[in-house]
């Protein structure tokens, strides 16, 4: 297990369906394999120097009826799956996410253009903003991430 610092104000969360408590000092103990996942969501290594970069946070509204229905359908489907199938799907999704995040970490912020921002995936947007010193705290939607990324590239004026 490794110790990480949760984003300010976070009191608890779940990762891959497992609840994780946040200590009063903001510390969490997590499996080291999940470090990149958590860093993409504003967590930082415990021993990293505390910094005060800009934070972006947006509250998402309730799901619309179509999305709520889709969540209900997936819930019914997943609830009916055998445990080994659920475990396989989680492992596959975790592996895909880890590969996407490793790829996102290779982004060179100096090479990013406004056009590239429009094509970036969520992990890439988080990585780009983090490398530019912008701390993003979920929940945040992709359009807000893109808007913040475009703002970083805008000439200072």
């Amino acid at each position: 297990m490794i110790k990480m610092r949760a984003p300010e104000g976070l009191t608890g969360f779940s990762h891959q369906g497992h609840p994780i408590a946040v200590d009063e000092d903001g510390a969490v103990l997590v499996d080291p394999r999940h470090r990149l996942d958590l860093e993409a969501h504003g967590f930082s290594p415990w021993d990293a120097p505390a910094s005060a970069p800009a934070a972006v946070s947006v509250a998402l509204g309730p799901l619309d009826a179509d999305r709520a229905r889709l969540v209900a359908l997936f819930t019914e489907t997943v609830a009916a799956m055998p445990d080994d199938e659920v475990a396989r799907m989680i492992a596959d999704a975790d592996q895909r996410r880890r590969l996407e995040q490793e790829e996102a970490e290779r982004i060179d912020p100096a090479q990013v253009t406004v056009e590239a921002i429009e094509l970036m995936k969520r992990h890439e947007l988080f990585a780009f903003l983090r490398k530019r010193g912008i701390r993003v705290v979920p929940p945040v939607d992709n359009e807000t991430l893109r808007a913040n990324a475009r703002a970083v590239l805008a000439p200072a004026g």
Side-chain angles (χ1 to χ4, degrees), residues 117-118 125 142-152:
I117 287 170
E118 300 310 315
L125 291 163
N142 289 350
E143 282 313 306
T144 302
L145 290 171
R146 282 191 178 84
N148 283 289
R150 286 189 297 267
V152 167

Side-chain angles (χ1 to χ4, degrees), residues 13 15 21 35 50 96 99:
F13 66 101
H15 182 65
R35 181 183 62 82
R96 280 192 306 273
L99 291 173

Side-chain angles (χ1 to χ4, degrees), residues 91-131:
D92 288 350
D94 187 41
Q95 177 66 16
R96 280 192 306 273
R97 179 176 290 149
R98 190 174 13 264
L99 291 173
E100 286 177 356
Q101 288 174 340
E102 288 171 2
E103 182 67 28
E105 289 302 317
R106 292 188 196 78
I107 289 174
D108 178 358
Q111 300 299 317
V112 173
T113 63
V114 172
E115 294 78 20
I117 287 170
E118 300 310 315
L119 302 173
M120 289 174 128
K121 295 177 184 171
R122 186 171 181 84
H123 296 300
E124 294 168 326
L125 291 163
F126 272 106
F128 170 71
L129 289 166
R130 186 176 55 255
K131 287 180 177 189

Side-chain angles (χ1 to χ4, degrees), residues 5 43 52 58 66 75 83 89-90 96 108 117 143 147-148 152:
R5 185 177 319 279
F43 288 76
V58 174
D66 289 339
T75 301
D83 291 346
M89 289 181 74
I90 289 171
R96 280 192 306 273
D108 178 358
I117 287 170
E143 282 313 306
N148 283 289
V152 167

